[in-house]
Amino acid sequence: MTNTWQDVKNANVVLCMGGNPAEAHPCGFKWVIEAKIENGAKLVVVDPRFTRTASVADFYAPIRPGTDIAFLSGVIRYLLEKDAIQHDYVRAYTNAGLIVKEGFGFKDGLFTGYSEQDRRYDKSTWDYELDEQGFAKADDTWRHPRCVINLLRRHVERYTPEMVSRICGTPQEKYLQVCELLAGTAAPDKALTSMFALGWTQHSIGSQNIRTMAMVQLLLGNIGVAGGGMNALRGHSNIQGLTDVGLLSAQMPGYLTLPQDRETSFEQYMSTRQFKPLRPGQTSYWQNYRKFFVSFQKAFFGEAARADNDWAYDWLPKLDHDGYDIIRAFEMMVNGEINGYICQGFNPLQAFPDRGKIRRGLRRLKFLVTMDPLDTETSRFWQDFGPQNPSDPAAVQTEVFQLPTTCFAEENGSLVNSARWLQWHWKAADGPGEARSDIWIMSELFHRLRELYRKEGGAFPDPLLNLAWNYTNPRTPDPEELAKDMNGRALADLRDEGGTVVRRAGQLLDGFGQLSDDGTTACGCWIFAGCYTEQGNQMARRDATDPREQGLAPHWAWAWPANRRILYNRASADLAGRPWNPVKPLIQWDGSRWVGIDVPDYAPTIKPSDGVGPFIMNAEGVGRLFARDQMAEGPFPEHYEPFESPAPNLLHPEVPTNPVARVFASDRAMFGTAQNFPYVATTYRLTEHFHFWTKHARINAILQPQEFIEIGEQLAREKGIEQGGWVRLSSRRGEIVCKAYVTKRIVPLMVNGSPTHVIGVPLHWGFTGQARKGYGANTLTPSVGDANTETPEFKAFLVNVEKTNGPVA
């Protein structure tokens, strides 16, 4: 989230699109209700189903799954056509006036530079025209035909209300009412907040879904302001922390990236990551990448990371692919290229796409290690559970090791919530039986592996043998010691520009501003610097005081970065440093420095007249309507159909789907067509269950005991399906047999003149736990992901549904 949960109450309009917070985030949703009651906010819901969120909305519009970019591109067209944008904000704080290179273009679904053979783009034209000093040229009058705002106008002109309705199935009058409601927040004293979740990310164009909405928010002037922002609702209490500390396959902590195998030297690696400013005087904070990286290496390898060995750069793994995401991992597993798998805190047989393929991959392993508090489907994949998991254990070669772990309530530690708050929690009870903490298990694995390398040798033992492990109890490091490692410390006396010592050697750092690239600081995660200082554990703070009751609570826990509660908050004030909305200011210029109720996302003494932009991580200093080379599919979003779609791509039939999405041949062969699978399915979650955990709890199993699908009344009549009757739901990859819930909440959508039915598929049931056995929604889903993140396309795929007699007893 760019903002906080509590800040939602400051919004004038709340858009829930790509998420269903009343159902999936019921505690946080109270702030939406407060915005409605106390601030008179309008709640707008755009969703394929009339959800629990929609039931309390001021306005609801249906949409076909997988068409959000068409809808939002139409919104952008509306805003530009009606001149309903925050002009001063857009001119000063976005790249609207920067001039794009000659040669950049878009035609028939493709941007310039596409290679059909490689399914990749040469992005060299996706950039600005530069002057002799290397700065991007600009036209503040917006008259130049290649300035970003004019290219954007041309790009979205195809998304007329008629075209949006034909693609999305949203009635024109409803779509236009949504446009009008959003446009009303272009006034400087109004704000729109966007709340989204997996309904946007789990698509083959998921990243561009989010980016399109961010562009809407930039045009409306709603980034960096109270009640505004792009607010991703995280599905687990610590999924934000997972990405923060670099557990994605191509990342390191703090969103540093692993080297590619072609980056054979440290200097070559650094040359593409220290982004120099693209406009005069801009901050471009990634210029400090070397400080973040060297400090990380010092935290990782200690004294073994030195200047004369390039800070142990050679010891890092080098990627020979863009990443080893879950889809690639199981493709390799099925092909026999991976023979061992450690599965920590995941349940792939329930959570990853194409369950049949996941099962085949697990069967080909030599060994599988699962670390989980619960007995998961993955750990029992080899066992015969009937039609929900057919298996011949004698034919399975995989040796399975189940390592029971403690859960969060059985250990001290921190969790990072959607708002980037690191909140410390305390152990409430010991774990049951032989359960051990993840820290203990990983520590024991490390010590035993290191000892084997010391005794027996082996290929390239250096990283393991030189890993820093300086803990009071090396076999079980204390969570607070690990937190201090993440925060960072001085390895030598640190002095300010005047020579005064600001940190003695060994002391904890106050923040990432104290990091150095000369080996005198160590920091496990630069964005966490400041979470555990010499003043104590900032994550454990529990002072709920909230200045002006504005939803920041700056002394409750600690938010990254720098305890900043609202990102880009310099954009909440105009060019003179005065708040756009004087009733709800965040920071403002007092004549000598930036002051306010939040930590400035900006150097505190930079004068407004200095012209430094508020988007300090970007080399331009401004928000990007034109993304340059940062996205796989193009610098502007474009509508592409899901890989399984009931309709052609009306904008460019020859390029119907994401042209750069990676699709393995075996997965492409398993895509279905509308001829055989005429209905659109989308997965979702229920309030009564939390993913695949709570089916192990009796009360949750009682509340939602059995697998079901949700279908509309019209489709039920056409198929002869009764309320509570048994149905068979099938895709090209498999089928499930479950109950049908016939509802008014889903109605057919008119897509290009044809009625299109949507079927909802909750995902919680499997064959372990106390609920009745289920097949799992991922039995049906395709194995294809977003081109930027490889997040699987769970939200839009094709199925057929038939009445059946149910399972044989």
Side-chain angles (χ1 to χ4, degrees):
M1 298 173 81
T2 58
N3 293 41
T4 72
W5 277 105
Q6 293 90 328
D7 175 72
V8 171
K9 70 181 181 180
N10 295 310
N12 301 101
V13 177
V14 179
L15 175 64
C16 292
M17 185 177 180
N20 178 15
E23 181 114 35
H25 300 84
C27 295
F29 189 68
K30 68 182 179 181
W31 300 107
V32 177
I33 300 301
E34 183 160 338
K36 285 168 61 67
I37 294 172
E38 301 295 335
N39 205 37
K42 300 295 184 184
L43 172 59
V44 179
V45 173
V46 181
D47 198 280
R49 301 182 300 124
F50 188 84
T51 61
R52 283 178 170 168
T53 306
S55 71
V56 293
D58 297 279
F59 192 79
Y60 165 74
I63 187 173
R64 174 166 65 97
T67 64
D68 302 77
I69 288 175
F71 190 103
L72 293 170
S73 294
V75 172
I76 292 174
R77 182 186 186 276
Y78 178 95
L79 296 177
L80 295 173
E81 181 183 50
K82 303 294 184 183
D83 201 27
I85 65 175
Q86 222 271 57
H87 274 274
D88 291 341
Y89 184 106
V90 174
R91 286 184 181 277
Y93 298 157
T94 79
N95 64 355
L98 299 191
I99 298 171
V100 175
K101 275 184 178 180
E102 190 170 2
F104 169 77
F106 174 85
K107 185 179 179 181
D108 298 332
L110 295 172
F111 294 91
T112 47
Y114 184 67
S115 167
E116 186 172 1
Q117 179 179 351
D118 298 331
R119 289 183 64 83
R120 284 178 179 267
Y121 279 105
D122 171 355
K123 302 177 181 179
S124 56
T125 62
W126 303 5
D127 213 335
Y128 307 123
E129 192 171 287
L130 304 180
D131 64 19
E132 59 278 0
Q133 295 177 290
F135 293 131
K137 293 182 179 180
D139 174 19
D140 294 333
T141 69
W142 292 1
R143 294 192 184 116
H144 196 290
R146 293 200 314 278
C147 72
V148 167
I149 194 73
N150 291 327
L151 291 176
L152 178 59
R153 288 181 197 276
R154 291 200 291 275
H155 188 75
V156 300
E157 65 186 359
R158 298 160 295 147
Y159 294 95
T160 62
E162 296 79 10
M163 181 59 75
V164 169
S165 183
R166 288 175 63 194
I167 294 172
C168 302
T170 308
Q172 273 192 59
E173 65 278 8
K174 287 184 177 291
Y175 158 74
L176 289 171
Q177 283 180 273
V178 173
C179 289
E180 185 178 354
L181 284 164
L182 303 191
T185 66
D189 61 345
K190 303 295 181 185
L192 159 72
T193 191
S194 167
M195 302 178 74
F196 64 93
L198 301 178
W200 271 356
T201 60
Q202 292 183 335
H203 289 277
S204 53
I205 36 73
S207 297
Q208 292 279 20
N209 283 337
I210 300 162
R211 173 155 169 69
T212 317
M213 186 64 214
M215 292 165 65
V216 171
Q217 289 289 66
L218 285 172
L219 290 170
L220 293 169
N222 285 325
I223 298 291
V225 305
M230 292 293 297
N231 295 308
L233 313 182
R234 295 299 210 162
H236 280 277
S237 61
N238 204 28
I239 201 67
Q240 180 68 54
L242 177 147
T243 55
D244 293 343
V245 299
L247 294 186
L248 300 179
S249 65
Q251 288 187 344
M252 297 187 293
Y255 301 94
L256 307 180
T257 54
L258 277 173
Q260 298 285 326
D261 57 2
R262 62 180 177 271
E263 296 174 312
T264 55
S265 72
F266 176 53
E267 292 304 327
Q268 186 181 7
Y269 170 79
M270 291 305 308
S271 68
T272 59
R273 288 164 174 82
Q274 289 177 290
F275 299 112
K276 296 180 180 179
L278 278 169
R279 292 289 291 162
Q282 299 308 310
T283 303
S284 190
Y285 206 77
W286 280 117
Q287 289 186 98
N288 294 290
Y289 194 103
R290 184 184 290 261
K291 296 177 182 178
F292 308 151
F293 179 87
V294 171
S295 296
F296 168 74
Q297 292 291 93
K298 292 296 292 184
F300 224 62
F301 297 114
E303 293 181 0
R306 307 180 307 275
D308 62 6
N309 69 355
D310 284 334
W311 311 110
Y313 173 79
D314 290 342
W315 296 348
L316 286 177
K318 310 297 188 292
L319 289 167
D320 56 350
H321 293 288
D322 289 339
Y324 283 87
D325 54 90
I326 58 171
I327 296 176
R328 181 182 294 280
F330 274 86
E331 172 73 8
M332 295 176 68
M333 209 178 289
V334 166
N335 294 330
E337 299 173 66
I338 290 178
N339 56 27
Y341 195 62
I342 299 177
C343 183
Q344 180 184 12
F346 274 96
N347 190 0
L349 197 60
Q350 285 285 115
F352 294 176
D354 190 353
R355 188 188 191 109
K357 181 176 183 177
I358 303 304
R359 188 183 293 115
R360 292 193 301 275
L362 294 173
R363 287 170 62 93
R364 295 209 63 184
L365 294 172
K366 290 182 179 179
F367 69 89
L368 167 68
V369 178
T370 61
M371 295 169 58
D372 206 282
L374 301 170
D375 196 15
T376 66
E377 280 74 12
T378 301
S379 61
R380 296 286 172 171
F381 82 94
W382 52 270
Q383 198 168 343
D384 185 11
F385 284 91
Q388 288 84 5
N389 195 66
S391 180
D392 177 8
V396 178
Q397 68 167 358
T398 311
E399 186 172 8
V400 180
F401 300 88
Q402 279 187 268
L403 304 182
T405 64
T406 52
C407 73
F408 66 93
E410 295 159 352
E411 58 200 26
N412 294 338
S414 64
L415 299 170
V416 188
N417 74 358
S418 299
R420 298 167 285 105
W421 291 12
L422 282 73
Q423 299 184 94
W424 197 260
H425 62 86
W426 291 268
K427 179 178 177 179
D430 291 328
E434 294 184 273
R436 296 291 185 269
S437 73
D438 291 75
I439 293 173
W440 184 90
I441 293 171
M442 290 185 287
S443 180
E444 285 296 317
L445 283 172
F446 162 66
H447 283 287
R448 297 179 196 199
L449 285 168
R450 186 171 65 173
E451 192 58 30
L452 283 171
Y453 271 106
R454 283 173 173 166
K455 287 181 178 179
E456 301 176 11
F460 194 41
D462 307 58
L464 203 63
L465 296 183
N466 288 293
L467 198 65
W469 205 268
N470 304 314
Y471 303 112
T472 303
N473 181 352
R475 311 300 293 209
T476 310
D478 186 276
E480 294 206 28
E481 289 183 294
L482 294 168
K484 292 175 182 178
D485 271 359
M486 293 299 239
N487 178 86
R489 54 173 49 87
L491 302 179
D493 289 352
L494 305 181
R495 300 175 185 273
D496 62 18
E497 293 181 359
T500 302
V501 174
V502 293
R503 275 291 169 269
R504 295 290 183 189
Q507 286 189 315
L508 297 168
L509 302 176
D510 289 325
F512 52 75
Q514 294 171 337
L515 296 178
S516 173
D517 60 5
D518 62 1
T520 57
T521 56
C523 178
C525 183
W526 74 273
I527 59 174
F528 286 1
C531 72
Y532 204 124
T533 68
E534 290 297 320
Q535 286 70 49
N537 186 347
Q538 304 302 296
M539 301 171 283
R541 299 185 304 168
R542 290 299 182 267
D543 180 352
T545 304
D546 189 7
R548 294 201 304 270
E549 294 298 314
Q550 201 163 314
L552 299 187
H555 304 294
W556 180 280
W558 186 89
W560 72 259
N563 200 35
R564 189 171 293 127
R565 302 296 161 131
I566 295 184
L567 297 179
Y568 317 115
N569 56 33
R570 166 62 183 91
S572 69
D574 64 19
L575 284 173
R578 297 183 298 263
W580 296 111
N581 184 353
V583 177
K584 296 177 180 177
L586 294 173
I587 64 170
Q588 56 192 327
W589 181 252
D590 72 353
S592 60
R593 62 188 301 108
W594 291 93
V595 297
I597 62 173
D598 198 9
V599 177
D601 197 356
Y602 205 64
T605 57
I606 292 179
K607 299 174 182 178
S609 58
D610 290 343
V612 178
F615 292 84
I616 63 172
M617 301 306 291
N618 289 346
E620 311 92 319
V622 292
R624 290 171 176 158
L625 299 170
F626 178 85
R628 303 176 63 220
D629 61 355
Q630 298 300 295
M631 305 295 288
E633 304 88 350
F636 291 132
E638 176 63 10
H639 165 68
Y640 297 107
E641 289 288 330
F643 274 84
E644 291 189 342
S645 172
N649 191 317
L650 298 178
L651 298 171
H652 28 79
E654 298 304 312
V655 186
T657 55
N658 189 334
V660 294
R662 185 199 65 209
V663 186
F664 294 111
S666 60
D667 295 329
R668 188 177 292 277
M670 297 303 292
F671 289 160
T673 64
Q675 182 178 357
N676 299 315
F677 303 97
Y679 311 119
V680 178
T682 188
T683 64
Y684 59 95
R685 288 150 178 77
L686 305 173
T687 300
E688 294 83 359
H689 278 299
F690 182 76
H691 296 285
F692 318 114
W693 296 8
T694 53
K695 60 187 172 63
H696 290 265
R698 180 164 300 188
I699 184 63
N700 298 85
I702 291 170
L703 289 170
Q704 286 286 7
Q706 191 166 14
E707 194 167 31
F708 69 91
I709 63 168
E710 196 173 5
I711 66 172
E713 291 179 333
Q714 182 175 323
L715 179 58
R717 285 194 299 270
E718 291 176 8
K719 305 291 286 191
I721 294 169
E722 299 143 5
Q723 183 69 270
W726 288 99
V727 293
R728 177 181 291 107
L729 188 69
S730 59
S731 76
R732 179 74 172 80
R733 292 155 295 278
E735 63 180 38
I736 67 175
V737 176
C738 63
K739 292 282 189 168
Y741 184 78
V742 181
T743 177
K744 300 179 185 294
R745 294 194 293 260
I746 303 178
V747 297
L749 303 172
M750 293 302 294
V751 176
N752 197 28
S754 299
T756 299
H757 291 281
V758 176
I759 296 175
V761 189
L763 52 70
H764 301 287
W765 295 273
F767 51 82
T768 66
Q770 300 202 39
R772 296 172 185 172
K773 286 190 295 183
Y775 291 78
N778 66 329
T779 299
L780 307 167
T781 54
S783 188
V784 63
D786 171 76
N788 299 276
T789 66
E790 300 303 338
T791 302
E793 188 156 60
F794 286 140
K795 297 302 182 184
F797 54 97
L798 294 179
V799 295
N800 194 14
V801 64
E802 301 170 295
K803 181 178 180 178
T804 188
N805 293 323
V808 177

